[in-house]
Every structure is written in C-alpha cells, then in structure tokens.
Amino acid sequence: MRRAVAVELEVTKELNKLLYSVEAMYLNIVREVVVYAIANNVTNPTQLQRLFYRKYRQEYPSLNSQLVIQAIRQASEIAKSFIERKKRGLVDKPYPEVKAVSIRFVITTWNYEQFVKSIAPVRITISLPGGRREVWIKPHKRFWLYWWKVLSGEAGLAGTLIVKRRTNKWYAIFVFELKPKDELPQSVVAFDINENTVAVSRIDIIATIDKTASWNRRYLMPQLYTIRTDFGRLAKRYERTRNAITERLKPLYALPNGKYVSITGTREFRKHVKGLREWGRKVGRVRQIANELTKTPGIIVTEELGENPQESMINGIGKDELRHRIKQTPFKSIEKAVEDKALERGSRIFHVSSYRNSRVCPIHFTRLGETNDWHTLKCPFGHLVDRDHASVMNMFWKLTSEAWTKAFWWDLKSLSKNMNWRKHEGKSNPLVPHEIVKYIHATLKEFKASFEQSPAVLARGSPMNPARGANEDWARAPPRSKGTLTLQGGEEARSDLLRCVGLSDVSNG
Ligand SMILES: [Zn+2]
C-alpha cells in the first residue's frame, strides 16, 4: 500500500532555471520516444533504451544518465497505456499529448541513504547539470506524519524520488510504502452501495472474544444506519447544468446548414464543465464514506460487485435519465477506497455473494414480496422490511454457515436439481476467524429473537408510508438518522430500531 506525499521545494532563481532546463530535456525525450514507440509499435523499455540512450546522452550531455533512462522508461509506459486505450476505442488522437512529466530520481541520483537515516530530514541532494545540488524542502504535517511512521518502522520510504512542477512551484514527491496493520477486530461492518445512500450495519465486538459466556446481550444489537451520499442527485444536478451550458454555447457553434458541431467536445464547453468540480466533489464523498466505514479496525463485509456493476444494474431500466444516474454512482471507487483505507487501518474486507441478499427476510428466512414502494418489501409473516437493511443483515448471515443454507435455499428441493452448487458453495468466507463468526451468529440470533418474541413491539412501529414522498425511482426520502443511530436496549430505542429497519405491522392494514 503506497502513499505519495508532495513537499514543496525551496527554490532559488538559479535552481529554478536548472530545474526548468532539466524538465525541458526530460519532456523532450519523453515526447520523441513516445511518438517513435507508437509509430513503430515498440514499447519494450529495454529495446527503446537500446535505441535511444546513446542519442540522448550525446544530445543532452549535462543530463544525468539515469534521468535519460528514466525518461525513456516513462515514454514506454505512456506509449503502452495509450496503445491499450486505443485498442479499447477510448482515444481518437494518433498520439498522446504529453503535457507534463514527473522527473524521476532513482536511488543513486539523490541522497536517499543519508535521507532515510535522518531523524528530521529537511534537505535533499539531487543530481542536476553541473553536479549535485542541495535543496531545502518545506515539510508539512502530513509529511511528518508519514516520517514518524518511517521512524517507528510502520512505513518505508521508496528509493525513487519524483520531482514535479505545478505552475511555477516545484515539489518533491516522496513515496511511502505502508505496512498493513494487524489489529484485533473491534467491529464487523456490512455495507451496501445504492444510488443515493450507503446502507451500513455494524456489530461492535465489545467483550473479549473468548469470553463467549459473559457477552452482554444488551450489546449484541447490530446498529443499522444509512450514510447519505446523494450521488444520484448530484448527477441529476450536474446533468441539468451541463445541458444549460450546452444550450448557451449552441449559437457559438452553429454551422451554416443550421446544425451544430458537437459542443461537448469543444474547449469552451470543457472549460465551463471543469468549473463544476463534479469529480472533486464525488471523490470527497467517496473518501468520507471510506473513513466512516473503517474508523475502527474490523471486518468489513460487502457484496461481490461484478466487473461492471452499473451495467448489470441498469439492465431492464428503460429511463435514460435514471440509467445515466446509476452510471454516475461510483460503486467501484467506493469499494476501492474502502479497501485501501481498511488495509491502512488494520481492517479486512470480505466479499459475499450478492445472491438473494435483498430477497430474504433477515428474521424469518422467508422470501420477501414486493410492495408498491421499491424500497420496502413485505415478509409473509406480516411485517415490512427495508430492502437496504435486509441486504446488509443478510450479508452478515452469509458469514455464518448454518443460516447460509436456511436463508438462501428455502426452495432447496426444486433448486437442487438444476443448481450449480459449486458456484455458491464456500462463498461465505472461511477466512473470518471462527470466534468472530460465533459472535456474529449470536448477535443475529439475538436480533431475530427480539422480533419474534415481542410482536407487540412490532405493532407499535410506525408504518412505512410510501406517501412520505419516498419513491422517486431509487432515491427515497432522506434517512431520518443524523449520522449514526445507535440501537441498544430500551423501549424507545426498540421502536426507533423498528422504524429504522423498516419493520412495522401490516397485518391489519
Ligand atoms: Zn419476516
């Protein structure tokens, strides 16, 4: 797991000139080699080096030989990825436009050995035309944070240093290799990504795991809550703004025959859209979610997403606008961000199959029926279940092997004939420690029992009313919770839980 930290360099006028000259030479090599590599379909770095090294050593004698090699390597990488993207039809230009480069200083071209030994490094020495140069860096909090990890052995510093210019400032980019933490899990979290929300269920492991007997029942209640993401709504809003920009620009791009050139491809359009910061906002939210889900070290459970979850989800959805919004939901990047953060914080992520997760009652193991609200399902035992909550609770069930068969193979007889057992077998992860599986099981049993034993409580839950303005495609009314709803013990909390899980009595309604 890697983290890059950029630290600004203290650059004198003279040094600035030097760095600019190095950048110009480096960029030139990269550009020329990229063109050659693509034109001749030669992307092997060794081969390219053999072809070009001597030429550029002669052309730029002041440039460190290692930098020449790194520039050629970088060109090879750019060419490779360009050819790959071209194959997949993602580019229409004949050659990539190399606008900026990251100048790579390998271990021998800067004072790595000395630097890593330092307790509080404030300078680097790099090989530039005219010899080695000492450069002061402007370390900041984030840098010191990772440096502390280096000193304490939790992280290592990579040997390659990257120097990069952004407008007129120069940065040194240090790459830290973090060692995954190995911590005792404190919680088990299941999450499910939807268009506008991420549904979460959390089981806190409070007691020492091996003291099974003394588990306090009070703490065995799983928390259920929703994190609002509004990716769908965000997409909707940007869609509107984008359309408005297109309309505004149309007159500028009208052709004599009354038609328009493609406006979305124009520089003017891109300039306007850039100001929307759509991507930046999305990334921010993705990070928040990852943070929330991994705040304590634990076991994180989620559905196995296919290669392209959006595609499988929009199957059968006709409305263009909705299809677009689902496409804009960053399922994969949420998963990736959570995985990454999980590793850093000593959590582990497990995937369970998505099979019937939102089709089974997590309390009675019966097949749920549809209601007129997409988000609410009805159990044959007469209560309503929120689809999201069924989904996350069932992910938990799948970690326990006993319930696995009960809950998901209720029609075993008809299925066993034409069922591919191999496919679903063993997908309840055997990697989750047995003690924890026992804990999850006990919690789920308690959760189940508390509903089966007190039907009166079920009756008191407020009905899940679709008229609450709930059903706008996938997006429903914002969750009532202001963040985390802790659901432990007490009558008040019980009925809260009911509303939260979406359970209520419908037998007389
Ligand atoms: Zn039920």
Side-chain angles (χ1 to χ4, degrees):
M1 182 177 30
R2 288 190 168 160
R3 290 286 182 276
V5 178
V7 181
E8 203 191 326
L9 297 178
E10 241 174 53
V11 175
T12 58
K13 243 189 191 159
E14 191 215 350
L15 183 65
N16 190 40
K17 233 187 223 165
L18 264 178
L19 287 170
Y20 263 105
S21 79
V22 170
E23 189 196 36
M25 294 186 269
Y26 199 95
L27 186 62
N28 217 17
I29 299 176
V30 174
R31 278 183 180 153
E32 287 178 12
V33 176
V34 161
V35 170
Y36 176 91
I38 290 167
N40 299 285
N41 202 16
V42 180
T43 55
N44 183 301
T46 324
Q47 226 171 326
L48 289 170
Q49 196 178 316
R50 211 175 294 136
L51 284 164
F52 287 101
Y53 177 72
R54 198 167 294 270
K55 168 177 150 53
Y56 289 118
R57 278 297 279 163
Q58 272 162 11
E59 212 166 303
Y60 306 119
S62 65
L63 196 63
N64 185 292
S65 62
Q66 277 301 324
L67 291 186
V68 175
I69 294 173
Q70 288 308 311
I72 296 172
R73 287 186 170 264
Q74 213 164 326
S76 137
E77 284 158 28
I78 294 170
K80 263 187 203 158
S81 87
F82 182 82
I83 290 171
E84 188 51 42
R85 276 155 51 83
K86 198 166 188 179
K87 262 189 213 148
R88 287 161 53 200
L90 296 169
V91 282
D92 43 11
K93 286 179 227 149
Y95 296 104
E97 217 178 310
V98 185
K99 285 184 199 148
V101 281
S102 310
I103 308 164
R104 291 181 202 163
F105 289 86
V106 294
I107 198 158
T108 52
T109 54
W110 69 293
N111 61 331
Y112 176 80
E113 297 298 336
Q114 196 195 339
F115 195 86
V116 284
K117 269 187 243 150
S118 166
I119 290 172
V122 283
R123 285 171 290 226
I124 51 170
T125 311
I126 47 177
S127 290
L128 292 173
R132 288 219 163 192
R133 283 287 173 134
E134 195 167 76
V135 187
W136 288 77
I137 58 173
K138 300 178 179 173
H140 44 66
K141 221 166 121 191
R142 201 168 127 83
F143 174 80
W144 291 127
L145 185 85
Y146 283 104
W147 197 254
W148 174 249
K149 290 189 180 191
V150 171
L151 294 177
S152 62
E154 280 174 69
L157 180 67
T160 301
L161 177 78
I162 295 162
V163 173
K164 202 176 165 107
R165 182 176 59 85
R166 195 102 190 253
T167 57
N168 53 4
K169 281 183 180 154
W170 291 92
Y171 295 89
I173 298 164
F174 297 92
V175 179
F176 295 96
E177 183 78 40
L178 296 182
K179 299 184 179 112
K181 275 190 188 165
D182 200 10
E183 292 205 48
L184 222 56
Q186 290 171 20
S187 58
V188 189
V189 176
F191 74 95
D192 187 24
I193 309 160
N194 296 300
E195 194 201 350
N196 282 312
T197 56
V198 174
V200 186
S201 184
R202 183 189 291 271
I203 297 175
D204 286 318
I205 304 168
I206 292 160
T208 322
I209 304 169
D210 36 77
K211 283 187 190 153
T212 318
S214 59
W215 281 343
N216 189 338
R217 300 199 132 204
R218 206 159 68 84
Y219 293 120
L220 287 176
M221 260 302 171
Q223 300 170 33
L224 276 162
Y225 59 96
T226 324
I227 307 172
R228 209 171 136 170
T229 58
D230 279 345
F231 286 122
R233 252 163 246 140
L234 201 68
K236 223 168 164 177
R237 209 176 85 213
Y238 285 124
E239 177 78 358
R240 273 202 303 274
T241 320
R242 248 196 305 266
N243 287 344
I245 295 171
T246 314
E247 284 305 314
R248 208 167 57 224
L249 293 179
K250 256 185 182 175
L252 294 173
Y253 294 94
L255 296 171
N257 60 6
K259 289 191 173 159
Y260 305 102
V261 294
S262 161
I263 288 162
T264 47
T266 63
R267 178 180 276 265
E268 192 69 10
F269 180 83
R270 283 205 303 266
K271 217 170 77 193
H272 278 89
V273 170
K274 212 171 159 189
L276 294 176
R277 295 204 312 118
E278 179 171 6
W279 178 240
R281 290 210 172 113
K282 245 184 188 173
V283 167
R285 284 181 199 187
V286 167
R287 288 202 187 123
Q288 275 170 1
I289 297 162
N291 249 327
E292 162 66 27
L293 292 174
T294 55
K295 61 185 179 197
T296 50
I299 288 167
I300 299 168
V301 187
T302 194
E303 273 182 9
E304 182 73 49
L305 297 172
E307 261 306 297
N308 202 342
Q310 283 92 340
E311 284 306 320
S312 59
M313 224 166 270
I314 58 179
N315 268 344
I317 296 176
K319 255 168 80 187
D320 261 9
E321 193 205 355
L322 180 59
R323 291 171 73 101
H324 172 76
R325 266 155 46 207
I326 292 172
K327 277 200 165 173
Q328 295 303 308
T329 309
F331 296 95
K332 276 278 179 190
S333 41
I334 293 177
E335 196 190 88
K336 227 187 138 274
V338 172
E339 235 159 78
D340 208 42
K341 261 271 163 328
L343 212 58
E344 185 181 330
R345 297 195 175 159
S347 295
R348 288 168 163 211
I349 193 158
F350 289 108
H351 294 101
V352 293
S353 96
S354 59
Y355 189 68
R356 283 177 175 169
N357 277 347
S358 53
R359 303 291 315 168
V360 179
C361 173
I363 296 155
H364 300 107
F365 299 155
T366 45
R367 184 182 199 134
L368 295 168
E370 307 263 334
T371 66
N372 56 5
D373 177 1
W374 190 89
H375 250 283
T376 308
L377 299 167
K378 193 181 171 186
C379 173
F381 281 79
H383 63 89
L384 295 172
V385 181
D386 184 295
R387 191 184 282 257
D388 286 349
H389 294 146
S391 176
V392 283
M393 291 312 283
N394 284 330
M395 285 185 208
F396 276 150
W397 276 121
K398 282 190 177 173
L399 291 180
T400 70
S401 51
E402 172 220 22
W404 167 248
T405 27
K406 265 196 205 160
F408 301 96
W409 307 110
W410 66 81
D411 42 2
L412 273 177
K413 270 177 210 151
S414 64
L415 268 173
S416 55
K417 279 180 208 137
N418 42 24
M419 190 66 219
N420 181 1
W421 286 93
R422 273 278 157 73
K423 203 175 143 208
H424 294 281
E425 234 169 65
K427 276 213 174 161
S428 60
N429 277 289
L431 293 166
V432 179
H434 184 63
E435 290 303 321
I436 290 178
V437 171
K438 280 198 326 211
Y439 194 95
I440 296 169
H441 195 212
T443 309
L444 292 171
K445 273 267 166 74
E446 184 66 22
F447 167 76
K448 190 162 133 49
S450 68
F451 289 107
E452 281 179 337
Q453 284 162 13
S454 40
V457 182
L458 282 170
R460 242 180 291 139
S462 70
M464 184 84 170
N465 187 2
R468 202 165 60 177
N471 198 9
E472 23 166 313
D473 299 316
W474 279 28
R476 66 196 158 126
R480 299 173 332 102
S481 54
K482 309 159 213 76
T484 313
L485 248 184
T486 313
L487 305 159
Q488 293 167 348
E491 280 303 289
E492 193 108 353
R494 267 293 140 77
S495 74
D496 237 324
L497 171 63
L498 288 173
R499 249 172 284 138
C500 188
V501 190
L503 289 172
S504 63
D505 187 33
V506 289
S507 51
N508 51 6

